[in-house]
């Protein structure tokens, strides 16, 4: 670019305003200057005396001006990027609103497992609260711009006009509204502190485990070659794969289980297919037949009466006559891919330990870096396994069974009453009943089983609704049994107050009530105070503790904090539905899978195919063609990103409270409400997670 002439470059053709020529190189499309060079730099850097070069180059006014111009261009480039991102966000929001597809549609309500009546009442409550906050905000703005800044002494004096109405509202607010809000605030703060203390104690327990290097060790030594069952401890193991309409993952899960390093004669694979789609049934049955031809001991089971969801499926499978020949049962959901040595690293813990009923492995995730939603889920589940499960396993010998990637002693299942269909969390149900019968559990933090995380917000929302409504159903059902059971008092207290009340009921209650209801209320009722440390410091500390098991996720600590508060509305709704038996609390919704496999799994399976010819077969092309033809004939229901009305209403509520906080100049409260409101807005417009074109 040639030097400028005129005002910045001096008079054309003249030397009076001649400055140092500057070459500006610009990069597209950010329009930012990346380099400034001058051909006369070398000449200007030589001193007059001695002709020696200075250690640092001198800069004249022209160079300083161009450096400032460079910074201005870079700032403009950043602003342009932010502007383009804002335009893209606005375009996505406009398309969501124009499409008009909300979570209030009948199909979505049925799929999420929420009652339309309960759903509408909850939304009506939030909407009414929003309308009241908008009215109060209008009143506060009118008072601010009209100068109605009434002191406490002036409230008792008679005033006239609209100012008198405002003074009456202030007196009513301080006398009748503020005490109730303050009481509710203090109660939630107490619950918040108790739950935070529990989480801190768990983290300290995990730190102690790492410092002392506490690790469950089997009584038997390492197993020798699995081809010789008589040379080591190889009991009879039944492997179950329950599935339902999961054609995306059935091949890889069956292949992984059939490749377990265990004597063929000592384990049997049950594929428990509850699919109601005929084509999916055919594909799974063909896959099982191919593995049978390759020598695997695998059977296919399909129920005619599909009652009880997963619990009913497992209960039906345990009723087979040949189950009595097996001592242990390993359970893997359809998207789980155990490593070949899974049984070798779990089953030996049972030897010589007759009180042991369950060995649970942790989960690892093949798609944890797929999008922001999966990254945030990864933080939560890392803390769950690394801290909660490990600490409870080491110090209490009890934790909630995760429903998969675990090995049960069949005698423990039978002694506890077997699988029951009374809740949507049959895994937690059997774990609690086994604990009440004196069975002990072991959690292996170093044994991993790969699986998938939900990649769309809709799928994650369905999963969380089931995970938080089921424990409340179970609490209602098993509370009398816990009280009557002849176990130690501290075990009863742990089950009732810590396992159920504190971690399953109080956590979603205070998270929603404190940060989504009380905090906005304190902005419109300033007489009730919510301390800064409750809004900022303690939540930040808890988020930091949550993220410690996954230190690489530290850059996502703020989005994690905001997203957890955003999910509180779904968890609170599910908790209330399960506790009071409202709506469709007993409906089971299968989490949608994408069928992802890690590259390491594919290489491992390929190498095994070359050595043993035992890997999963290629899909049947004829069956796939048939599937595509049938799909083209049917009216396919296209998936769309939707608008979630409760989240949008809460977004408007929090942003309204943020505007009110500006008038009282509450800095921390304003920023928290602003960013939390934006978080609710993004979730309400379904702009987090998988985006469907």
């Amino acid at each position: 670019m040639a030097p400028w002439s005129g005002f910045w470059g001096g008079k054309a053709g003249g030397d009076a305003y001649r400055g140092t020529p500057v070459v500006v190189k610009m990069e597209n499309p950010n329009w930012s200057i990346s380099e400034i060079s001058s051909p006369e730099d070398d000449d200007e850097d030589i001193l007059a005396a001695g002709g020696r070069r200075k250690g640092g180059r001198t800069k004249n006014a022209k160079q300083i001006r161009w450096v400032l111009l460079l910074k201005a261009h870079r700032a403009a480039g950043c602003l342009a990027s932010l502007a383009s991102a804002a335009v893209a966000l606005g375009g996505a929001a406009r398309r969501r609103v124009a499409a008009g597809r909300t979570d209030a549609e009948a199909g979505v309500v049925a799929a999420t497992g929420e009652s339309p009546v309960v759903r509408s009442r909850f939304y009506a409550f939030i909407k009414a609260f929003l309308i009241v906050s908008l009215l109060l905000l209008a009143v506060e703005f009118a008072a601010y711009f009209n100068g109605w800044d009434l002191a406490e002494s002036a409230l008792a004096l008679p005033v006239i006009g609209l100012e008198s109405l405002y003074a009456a509202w202030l007196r009513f607010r301080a006398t009748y509204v503020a005490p109730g809000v303050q009481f509710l605030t203090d109660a939630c703060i107490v619950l918040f502190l108790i739950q935070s203390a529990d989480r801190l104690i768990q983290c300290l327990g995990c730190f102690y485990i790492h410092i002392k290097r506490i690790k469950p060790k089997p009584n038997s030594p390492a197993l020798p070659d699995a081809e010789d069952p008589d040379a080591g401890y190889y009991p009879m193991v039944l492997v179950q794969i329950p599935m339902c309409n999961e054609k995306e993952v059935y091949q890889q899960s069956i292949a992984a289980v059939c490749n377990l390093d265990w004597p063929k004669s000592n384990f049997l694979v049950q594929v428990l297919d509850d699919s109601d789609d005929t084509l999916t049934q055919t594909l799974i049955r063909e896959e099982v037949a191919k593995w049978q031809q390759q020598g695997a001991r695998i059977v296919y089971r399909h129920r005619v009466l599909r009652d009880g969801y997963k619990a009913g499926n497992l209960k039906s499978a345990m009723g087979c006559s040949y189950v009595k020949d097996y001592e242990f049962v390993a359970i893997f959901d359809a998207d789980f891919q155990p490593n070949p040595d899974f049984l070798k690293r779990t089953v030996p813990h049972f030897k010589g330990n007759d009180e042991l009923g369950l060995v649970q492995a942790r989960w690892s995730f093949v798609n944890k870096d797929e999008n922001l939603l999966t990254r945030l889920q990864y933080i939560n589940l890392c803390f769950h396994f690394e801290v909660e499960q490990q600490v409870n396993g080491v110090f209490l010998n009890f934790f909630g069974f995760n429903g998969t990637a675990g090995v049960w002693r069949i005698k423990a299942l039978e002694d506890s009453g077997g699988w029951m269909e009374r809740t949507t969390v049959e895994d937690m149900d059997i774990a609690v009943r086994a604990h009440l019968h004196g069975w002990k559990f072991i959690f292996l933090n170093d044994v991993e089983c790969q699986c998938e995380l939900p990649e769309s917000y809709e799928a994650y929302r369905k999963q969380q609704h089931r995970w938080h409504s089921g424990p409340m159903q179970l609490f209602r059902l098993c509370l009398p049994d816990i009280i009557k059971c002849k176990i130690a008092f501290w075990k009863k207290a742990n089950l009732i107050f810590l396992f159920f009340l504190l971690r399953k009921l109080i956590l979603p209650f205070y998270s929603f009530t404190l940060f989504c209801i009380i905090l906005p209320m304190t902005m419109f009722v300033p007489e009730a105070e919510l301390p800064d440390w409750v809004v900022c410091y303690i939540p930040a500390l808890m988020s930091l503790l949550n993220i410690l098991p996954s230190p690489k996720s530290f850059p996502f600590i703020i989005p994690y904090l905001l997203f957890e508060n955003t999910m509180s509305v779904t968890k609170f709704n599910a908790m209330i539905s399960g506790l009071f038996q409202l709506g469709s609390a007993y409906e089971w919704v299968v989490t949608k899978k994408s069928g992802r496999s890690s590259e390491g799994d594919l290489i491992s399976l390929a190498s095994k195919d070359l050595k043993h010819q035992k890997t999963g077969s290629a899909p049947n092309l004829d069956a796939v063609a048939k599937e595509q033809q049938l799909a083209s004939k049917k009216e396919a229901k296209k998936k769309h990103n939707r608008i979630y009305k409760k989240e949008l209403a809460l977004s408007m509520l929090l942003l309204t409270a943020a505007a009110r906080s500006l008038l009282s100049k509450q800095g921390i409260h304003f920023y928290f409400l602003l960013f939390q409101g934006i978080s609710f807005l993004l979730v309400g417009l379904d702009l987090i997670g998988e985006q469907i074109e």
Side-chain angles (χ1 to χ4, degrees), residues 268-304:
L268 172 69
V269 179
Q270 283 183 322
V271 178
L272 311 177
D273 183 23
D274 254 6
S275 303
D276 56 5
D277 179 32
T278 305
L279 179 59
T280 304
Q281 296 176 24
T282 303
L283 292 173
I284 297 175
R285 189 180 291 109
E286 289 181 357
E287 185 70 14
V288 171
K290 291 173 185 177
W291 279 99
Q292 289 174 343
Q293 293 174 2
Q294 296 179 14
R297 297 186 69 240
I298 181 172
V299 295
Y300 175 85
R301 282 182 52 85
H302 183 269
R303 293 193 299 162
V304 178

Side-chain angles (χ1 to χ4, degrees), residues 434-453:
H435 180 58
L436 295 179
H437 283 79
W439 293 98
K440 296 181 179 179
F441 303 164
I442 284 180
F443 176 75
L444 301 180
N445 192 51
D446 58 340
V447 179
E448 298 182 355
C449 189
Q450 290 188 336
C451 62
E452 288 186 18
L453 292 166

Side-chain angles (χ1 to χ4, degrees), residues 2 19 73 137 191 225 251 265 277 290 316 334 361 414 420 424 430 561 616 631:
H73 273 277
L137 180 63
L191 296 178
D225 187 10
Q251 282 185 311
S265 59
D277 179 32
K290 291 173 185 177
S316 174
E414 296 173 347
M420 293 185 179
T424 57
I430 190 65
L561 171 61

